[in-house]
Amino acid sequence: GPSPFGDGDMKNYFHPKCIFETLKRVRANTRVIESADDISNFENIKDDDKKTVVKLIKGISLSFLNRFF
């Protein structure tokens, strides 16, 4: 659907690895997922998938620290 942030379409991601790979390439001032609290309906995700997402969140946090500091 249309993006609320400007021209173009909003991207939807269905695989956790896909969105976190994208987040590795964003600008320094772009908001990224920093915790499970940033994901709506996280409580409805299967437990195994929650573990995967939490690992990816930790990985993106480390990636940002290494990239910008």
Side-chain angles (χ1 to χ4, degrees):
S3 173
F5 305 107
D7 295 335
D9 287 330
M10 184 81 151
K11 292 188 186 224
N12 293 309
Y13 295 93
F14 299 98
H15 305 103
K17 288 182 182 176
C18 296
I19 190 166
F20 284 92
E21 280 300 315
T22 301
L23 292 176
K24 288 180 181 177
R25 298 185 303 269
V26 298
R27 288 183 234 130
N29 62 343
T30 300
R31 186 167 181 260
V32 297
I33 299 169
E34 297 181 68
S35 77
D37 294 333
D38 293 336
I39 302 172
S40 59
N41 298 312
F42 184 77
E43 66 277 0
N44 298 327
I45 299 173
K46 292 186 285 182
D47 287 341
D48 285 346
D49 293 336
K50 285 181 186 176
K51 290 177 188 175
T52 300
V53 170
V54 168
K55 285 181 188 175
L56 290 166
I57 291 169
K58 289 178 183 176
I60 198 68
S61 295
L62 290 174
S63 174
F64 257 62
L65 285 174
N66 291 334
R67 188 169 155 200
F68 298 112
F69 297 103

